[in-house]
Amino acid sequence: MEPAIKLQPGTNSRGSELEQRVTKGDIRQKIWDYMEKNNLANFPRPVHHRIPNFKGAAQAAENLPSLREFKNALIVKVNPDKPQEKVRLLVLEARKTLLVPTPRLRKGLFNKIVPPPGAAKEIIRVCSTAQGVKDFSVPVQLDAKVHIDLVVVGSVAVSKNGWRIGKGEGFADLEYAMMVSMGSIDEKTVVVTTVHDCQLLDIPEELMDNHDLIVDYILTPTQVITTDCKRSKPQGIIWSKVDLEMMQKIPILKSFYCREKQEGKDVALKDERCIDEKELQKFSGERMPRKSANATRLKSDPFEKTGSCDKCEEETECETKAQSNATSRVTAVYMGNIPPSLRVSELKNILRDHNVAPLRLNWQGAQHRAFLDYKDEITAEAAVTSLAGLSVSGSIIRVELAKHQGDNRFRSQTNARVNRQSLT
């Protein structure tokens, strides 16, 4: 099928002469204008400055299960945009693990979507929507040992040889680079995009840069295209393309910056300088982790601590707050009606299975209850959602946000219990 839109070098979307060759911005404008003019998109409209919610998005997504790579995938990461909603539903229906990036990377990198146990088909569908992503998600920590088998992204334009253009903010490219940095993807990870047929066009190779994400498969309402792209995908975060403004807008970048700086990697920013600890503190009030002999070792399990369980042996993330401030900010989740036969080790396994392992676990088995401490209210509420309806040995566990969150006496009492209860 020939591209519906053809680019003429030397002209822009209005047909006027250009002094330079066609740009990515010209291509985006051409696609957006064409889709609006021909009514090829659904809500939200207009499509300008968006990943278009093209008509036929569900049909394009239906091609995904036919891919061998999808059938074999265990963990799939899908962007949160509306046109990929059907893709997210297919992943959940196939009982695969679904990861979705946090909006604009403001709070972490991505979340795991966790439908309630025994969820009906309608609830599964809700989980695939934007609201469901908010209500049924659990944050995935940067040091989590997770391998993503398949990545699905949206596009504004894509060529049959796999070159992709997004909406211009670079989030898909940056997300991929971050996943490389945290070891979640490798050369075996397959990248797929779903688009309308009109979004297929020839993209000049000179527009592609080393930070641009390329795709292995293109799914449209009418065809499946194998790109056989030979161009390399991003190999990690290219700090020379990051500036201070981007660091401020995307807080999670600071964590990667600190980690890679400690590993001795080149982290000079766009203006050819590095950021020191004081500058990072100006951004967020956070402190750099103390470097130790084991500073590059990452913890894959929040329960893996030594010594006093009230404090990690080492700090591996830039976002780690000073301990005195952390205890005043954490949010506790109450678990009640715990059966007498349940052991604390078994509870830890349950929390790991639901991907809601807390910062600290305050065990009160004799009173048939426990308190789970999380870094903030959003994470705590996500844990409550994930554990809703939990049944252990025939007992329905009561799970809710603990009362008296701001009570220092309550906090000191729970911390005292933490010091007495080892998590090892």
Side-chain angles (χ1 to χ4, degrees):
M1 180 179 293
E2 290 296 318
I5 302 173
K6 293 186 178 181
L7 298 172
Q8 298 297 327
T11 63
N12 62 14
S13 59
R14 297 176 181 84
S16 59
E17 291 297 322
L18 285 175
E19 295 181 0
Q20 299 179 347
R21 295 180 178 179
V22 65
T23 67
K24 289 182 179 178
D26 296 326
I27 294 175
R28 293 185 189 101
Q29 191 67 41
K30 196 103 175 175
I31 293 289
W32 288 329
D33 288 348
Y34 184 89
M35 296 187 78
E36 279 295 324
K37 179 180 179 180
N38 293 277
N39 194 30
L40 296 176
N42 297 314
F43 176 86
R45 299 278 293 273
V47 297
H48 296 79
H49 309 293
R50 305 179 189 274
I51 298 296
N53 183 21
F54 60 95
K55 292 184 176 179
Q59 292 93 316
E62 290 288 355
N63 290 315
L64 185 62
S66 66
L67 298 182
R68 173 177 54 84
E69 290 83 353
F70 178 81
K71 295 175 182 177
N72 296 335
L74 299 177
I75 300 179
V76 183
K77 176 256 178 187
V78 184
N79 63 301
D81 296 306
K82 181 66 175 178
Q84 282 70 47
E85 184 176 297
K86 179 66 173 182
V87 172
R88 297 191 293 272
L89 177 59
L90 291 171
V91 173
L92 292 173
E93 288 181 337
R95 298 294 188 265
K96 301 179 186 295
T97 297
L98 172 62
L99 303 181
V100 178
T102 59
R104 307 187 72 81
L105 302 178
R106 289 194 183 100
K107 296 180 180 179
L109 181 51
F110 42 63
N111 292 345
K112 174 183 176 181
I113 309 305
V114 184
K121 186 174 181 179
E122 177 58 24
I123 298 299
I124 297 294
R125 187 197 65 78
V126 171
C127 289
S128 69
T129 66
Q131 187 60 46
V133 169
K134 294 178 182 178
D135 294 342
F136 298 95
S137 64
V138 177
V140 176
Q141 303 300 321
L142 295 185
D143 55 3
K145 300 299 183 183
V146 54
H147 181 272
I148 298 172
D149 304 299
L150 188 70
V151 172
V152 182
V153 296
S155 303
V156 173
V158 64
S159 67
K160 290 185 177 182
N161 53 7
W163 300 339
R164 171 191 174 273
I165 294 178
K167 61 185 177 182
E169 296 182 327
F171 284 109
D173 303 324
L174 187 56
E175 288 162 8
Y176 189 93
M178 288 179 176
M179 289 187 289
V180 172
S181 180
M182 66 185 289
S184 293
I185 57 178
D186 54 29
E187 66 279 358
K188 296 180 181 179
T189 302
V190 174
V191 179
V192 178
T193 190
T194 61
V195 295
H196 191 277
D197 287 282
C198 78
Q199 293 174 264
L200 283 168
L201 76 169
D202 297 327
I203 298 175
E205 183 175 3
E206 58 266 24
L207 293 183
M208 303 305 295
D209 204 340
N210 57 352
H211 71 277
D212 288 318
L213 179 61
I214 58 95
V215 301
D216 300 296
Y217 290 95
I218 304 169
L219 310 182
T220 81
T222 66
Q223 57 188 318
V224 174
I225 300 171
T226 303
T227 67
D228 292 322
C229 188
K230 305 305 180 185
R231 191 182 186 92
S232 297
K233 298 184 178 75
Q235 300 299 302
I237 300 171
I238 304 175
W239 293 106
S240 60
K241 297 183 181 295
V242 177
D243 54 24
L244 289 176
E245 182 180 2
M246 187 180 297
M247 293 281 283
Q248 290 174 315
K249 288 181 178 179
I250 307 175
I252 193 176
L253 268 176
K254 295 190 288 292
S255 297
F256 285 99
Y257 183 90
C258 293
R259 177 154 47 182
E260 296 198 4
K261 185 176 183 180
Q262 286 190 345
E263 293 172 354
K265 295 182 180 180
D266 182 4
V267 292
L269 300 185
K270 198 171 186 177
D271 59 0
E272 299 184 350
R273 73 187 186 93
C274 294
I275 304 175
D276 59 25
E277 181 177 348
K278 290 183 178 180
E279 286 179 294
L280 281 176
Q281 289 176 336
K282 288 180 182 178
F283 287 161
S284 59
E286 298 166 353
R287 64 188 179 92
M288 295 267 289
R290 293 190 299 271
K291 189 169 183 178
S292 68
N294 297 321
T296 59
R297 181 173 64 85
L298 299 179
K299 296 181 184 298
S300 61
D301 190 334
F303 289 126
E304 291 179 0
K305 303 177 182 179
T306 59
S308 171
C309 59
D310 195 32
K311 184 178 177 69
C312 292
E313 184 181 52
E314 65 190 39
E315 298 170 352
T316 59
E317 299 292 345
C318 280
E319 284 123 346
T320 303
K321 303 286 193 299
Q323 185 67 20
S324 59
N325 291 332
T327 45
S328 64
R329 293 193 181 103
V330 297
T331 301
V333 170
Y334 168 81
M335 295 186 72
N337 198 36
I338 295 176
S341 60
L342 185 69
R343 300 171 62 89
V344 64
S345 60
E346 295 172 328
L347 177 58
K348 292 179 196 176
N349 289 334
I350 291 172
L351 297 176
R352 291 190 187 101
D353 291 342
H354 285 76
N355 202 25
V356 293
L359 297 172
R360 288 174 295 275
L361 187 152
N362 309 312
W363 176 253
Q364 297 182 14
Q367 288 77 38
H368 311 298
R369 64 189 181 192
F371 292 89
L372 315 177
D373 284 353
Y374 293 94
K375 63 180 181 179
D376 52 40
E377 187 171 350
I378 293 176
T379 309
E381 289 178 342
V384 171
T385 299
S386 180
L387 295 171
L390 176 65
S391 176
V392 178
S393 300
S395 298
I396 300 297
I397 307 299
R398 179 182 172 188
V399 184
E400 61 188 31
L401 292 180
K403 299 178 181 179
H404 312 300
Q405 293 288 344
D407 191 333
N408 291 330
R409 182 176 57 185
F410 169 82
R411 179 55 52 204
S412 63
Q413 289 172 348
T414 56
N415 284 339
R417 289 192 292 270
V418 169
N419 288 326
R420 292 195 297 269
Q421 173 60 49
S422 171
L423 296 183
T424 58

